[in-house]
Amino acid sequence: MLKQIPEMECHIDLSQEMFGSQIYTRGTIFMEYKQTEEQDRKTQKFILLCTKNIDVTEHGSTGKDESGDKKKKRQKAAVTSTEDSRRTLNLNQQKQPDQEKSPNKSKTNVFDFSLPTILMTNVRSLPKKIQELKKMLKKLKNIGLICITETWYNDNSPDLHQDGYQVVRVDRDAWLTGRRRGGGLMMLVNNAWATVVQEELLLNTEDYELMVVSIIPHDHTEGAPPLTFIQVYIPPKARKTKAAKDIADIYDAFKIKYHGGPVFLLGDFNHCKMDFLGLEQYVTCPTREQNILDKCYGNVQGAYNCKCRSPLGSSDHNVIFLIPKDKSDESDPSKDEKCKHEKTKSKKK
């Protein structure tokens, strides 16, 4: 019987880096199980999320030295997380029996939750368009959630203060992503819709930038799971297969964490397909030229209608409005401007 218990080896790589005025601890944990001769050797990958200073060791519990190439590969999985949080997210977490259902049967009813009207767009440099964004928000009072990609913010960018909104952002980290210009995510939550906002996960990687935010609206059913929003930006030259797999694992992890509650995956996917998740995709307007690059997936069946407006300033992405189907026409922020599903024109470089 004791022979059936697999041997376990644990490799841990941790290091600390200074970015601006903050110290980030980054690392990965690899756990290897030696199975019986009839079974293959399996590896489970964990990501350590920590912003507090902890003791850093060069190698894990096996005491074996590693080559520089192997260590560099593991350090590429470096991540950052929210302040004062220390969690370990298992990306290979197996689904529970009640989660193994067909995509349609596992979807949540739209009327069980108070969904926000969502504004989403790729702005291609928010500092150059900040006044236009603020002017738009003054006119559109019914927007519950604003999701912006390609803010082009970095460590030196100033804080954004917008009256009536909570701001969550992930700035491009040139060291972690290997790219200096571009990227960056921002989410603005309207206080009129919700004030209980929890930053769950903030990531900077070579193939995608990501944030996970859980929100409990004011009129949310007591005891019900929060609304979870996973916002992403995938660069054009990213390894899209790897990005899709990692993002799908993160989606599954939070769906399990909140017991199948409403989870939305949205942002600029740049031709990276996530249809294999079996979720509904709500964006029907072209977002850049004739393509739909900005998308919103969700496990809430029949949640949103889609409308679009012309790009913000010199951006080449349309502004997308996602309007809950159970809301009246009075909640439509774009009712004064008819949606023509127009394609954007390519910008000259």
Side-chain angles (χ1 to χ4, degrees):
M1 184 173 180
L2 291 175
K3 293 182 179 179
Q4 296 179 0
I5 301 176
E7 276 185 61
M8 181 180 72
E9 292 184 356
C10 180
H11 304 268
I12 304 175
D13 283 306
L14 298 175
S15 62
Q16 292 179 339
E17 299 289 342
M18 175 71 76
F19 298 108
S21 61
Q22 295 182 343
I23 297 177
Y24 291 93
T25 299
R26 56 189 180 83
T28 52
I29 300 175
F30 292 81
M31 300 185 69
E32 296 183 354
Y33 297 88
K34 295 180 180 178
Q35 306 291 342
T36 61
E37 294 181 357
E38 298 178 354
Q39 293 177 307
D40 296 331
R41 187 181 181 96
K42 295 184 178 180
T43 301
Q44 285 189 319
K45 181 178 179 181
F46 297 81
I47 293 181
L48 178 70
L49 308 177
C50 179
T51 53
K52 291 184 177 180
N53 295 338
I54 61 177
D55 293 334
V56 178
T57 58
E58 291 296 328
H59 306 290
S61 58
T62 60
K64 298 178 182 178
D65 197 5
E66 292 182 293
S67 67
D69 291 338
K70 284 186 178 180
K71 189 170 182 180
K72 287 181 181 179
K73 287 182 181 179
R74 292 184 179 180
Q75 287 178 345
K76 287 183 179 180
V79 298
T80 62
S81 93
T82 58
E83 293 183 359
D84 299 325
S85 68
R86 180 178 291 177
R87 316 182 176 89
T88 301
L89 176 63
N90 181 0
L91 297 185
N92 290 331
Q93 192 172 21
Q94 293 187 354
K95 296 181 179 180
Q96 301 298 326
D98 60 343
Q99 298 289 332
E100 296 178 351
K101 301 177 182 178
S102 62
N104 291 332
K105 291 183 180 180
S106 64
K107 289 183 179 178
T108 307
N109 192 309
V110 63
F111 299 107
D112 293 340
F113 304 93
S114 174
L115 299 179
T117 297
I118 301 175
L119 183 158
M120 58 182 292
T121 187
N122 179 319
V123 297
R124 287 180 55 83
S125 183
L126 183 59
K128 296 180 180 179
K129 305 173 182 70
I130 189 66
Q131 296 305 322
E132 295 173 78
L133 176 65
K134 290 187 175 184
K135 185 177 179 181
M136 178 185 289
L137 294 182
K138 285 183 179 180
K139 293 182 179 179
L140 304 176
K141 301 295 185 181
N142 296 323
I143 303 294
L145 192 67
I146 296 101
C147 296
I148 300 172
T149 54
E150 284 216 77
T151 61
W152 293 19
Y153 274 25
N154 53 44
D155 291 340
N156 299 321
S157 300
D159 292 336
L160 174 66
H161 298 286
Q162 178 63 30
D163 292 341
Y165 291 87
Q166 294 188 56
V167 180
V168 183
R169 53 188 260 201
V170 174
D171 299 337
R172 159 100 16 125
D173 188 305
W175 191 87
L176 293 174
T177 62
R179 301 176 176 88
R180 291 188 177 278
R181 190 184 181 193
L185 302 171
M186 183 174 292
M187 187 179 293
L188 293 88
V189 184
N190 194 333
N191 292 334
W193 172 61
T195 54
V196 181
V197 179
Q198 175 66 44
E199 300 174 17
E200 300 272 6
L201 182 63
L202 309 178
L203 292 179
N204 256 300
T205 76
E206 288 183 334
D207 299 302
Y208 57 90
E209 295 161 27
L210 177 147
M211 72 162 71
V212 182
V213 179
S214 61
I215 303 173
I216 299 179
H218 295 312
D219 54 354
H220 200 61
T221 303
E222 185 176 356
L227 307 181
T228 304
F229 295 89
I230 305 173
Q231 186 182 0
V232 303
Y233 172 67
I234 301 176
K237 295 183 180 180
R239 295 171 294 180
K240 294 182 174 57
T241 300
K242 183 180 186 305
K245 182 182 182 303
D246 287 355
I247 293 170
D249 288 339
I250 292 171
Y251 171 86
D252 287 337
F254 279 95
K255 186 177 68 171
I256 292 172
K257 176 180 179 179
Y258 290 118
H259 310 291
V263 182
F264 297 92
L265 175 61
L266 71 170
D268 185 349
F269 291 84
N270 266 318
H271 299 292
C272 180
K273 297 182 179 180
M274 304 295 299
D275 299 337
F276 64 91
L277 284 171
L279 304 174
E280 187 169 349
Q281 203 286 106
Y282 310 112
V283 179
T284 55
C285 298
T287 63
R288 184 177 184 272
E289 299 179 14
Q290 74 277 12
N291 302 307
I292 301 179
L293 303 182
D294 304 289
K295 299 179 180 180
C296 180
Y297 299 89
N299 62 344
V300 181
Q301 190 171 12
Y304 284 104
N305 287 318
C306 178
K307 291 188 177 182
C308 67
R309 279 188 178 181
S310 56
L312 194 66
S314 60
S315 173
D316 56 357
H317 285 245
N318 278 332
V319 175
I320 298 298
F321 293 99
L322 295 174
I323 305 157
K325 289 185 177 180
D326 63 329
K327 297 285 182 69
S328 64
D329 292 337
E330 295 179 357
S331 298
D332 185 349
S334 59
K335 62 181 182 300
D336 57 335
E337 185 176 333
K338 187 177 180 180
C339 174
K340 300 179 181 178
H341 295 272
E342 292 180 342
K343 302 173 183 178
T344 62
K345 297 180 180 180
S346 60
K347 304 289 183 180
K348 293 182 179 180
K349 294 184 180 179

